[in-house]
Amino acid sequence: MAAELHVELVAADRSVWSGEATLVVARTTSGDIGVMPGHQPLLGVLESGPVTIRTTDGGTVVAAVHGGFLSFADNKLSLLAEIAELADEIDTQRAELALERAKSDEDAAAERRADVRLRAVAVR
């Protein structure tokens, strides 16, 4: 079994992160899944939520992902997201304001997006 897997996290508008990892944890419609080197091939639908990537150098990359697909085969994991942003890119104050605004407007989709952003920052 290989000690690492290659990960590509891509949003509709850009490549978000690419590199080698030892573990990736993401939320799918079937529940949370952890993918390690040597995992069985899989295809899944991503739910909105934080994605955690444990890099081979011992670091951690966290991203807020909003929908998309996950595909794994031959130690290559592709996360194709509708929207994705690294936790380091998220403006916490702006996300908190967006959450408050979404709650007052009763906009469930906007509330979910803001909540995922804040959870990604908290995991980081």
Side-chain angles (χ1 to χ4, degrees):
M1 179 167 84
E4 60 187 40
L5 58 112
H6 184 73
V7 179
E8 293 282 338
L9 173 57
V10 180
D13 61 342
R14 68 186 178 119
S15 176
V16 178
W17 189 86
S18 177
E20 306 306 312
T22 58
L23 171 68
V24 177
V25 178
R27 174 152 297 166
T28 70
T29 54
S30 300
D32 288 351
I33 186 165
V35 178
M36 297 175 68
H39 195 286
Q40 292 294 316
L42 70 96
L43 179 63
V45 177
L46 289 170
E47 289 281 323
S48 292
V51 169
T52 303
I53 303 167
R54 302 276 186 229
T55 62
T56 55
D57 64 2
T60 301
V61 175
V62 180
V65 172
H66 307 279
F69 297 92
L70 169 140
S71 172
F72 181 77
D74 301 322
N75 280 330
K76 294 177 185 169
L77 177 66
S78 297
L79 299 145
L80 310 170
E82 293 172 22
I83 301 169
E85 53 195 322
L86 296 174
D88 294 340
E89 301 170 339
I90 297 170
D91 181 335
T92 305
Q93 289 180 329
R94 186 173 173 211
E96 288 170 344
L97 289 172
L99 180 60
E100 289 175 21
R101 188 173 39 254
K103 285 181 179 179
S104 68
D105 294 345
E106 297 182 9
D107 184 343
E111 186 176 341
R112 185 172 49 251
R113 285 190 303 273
D115 179 62
V116 168
R117 286 182 181 104
L118 291 170
R119 286 190 293 139
V121 169
V123 170
R124 176 190 57 169

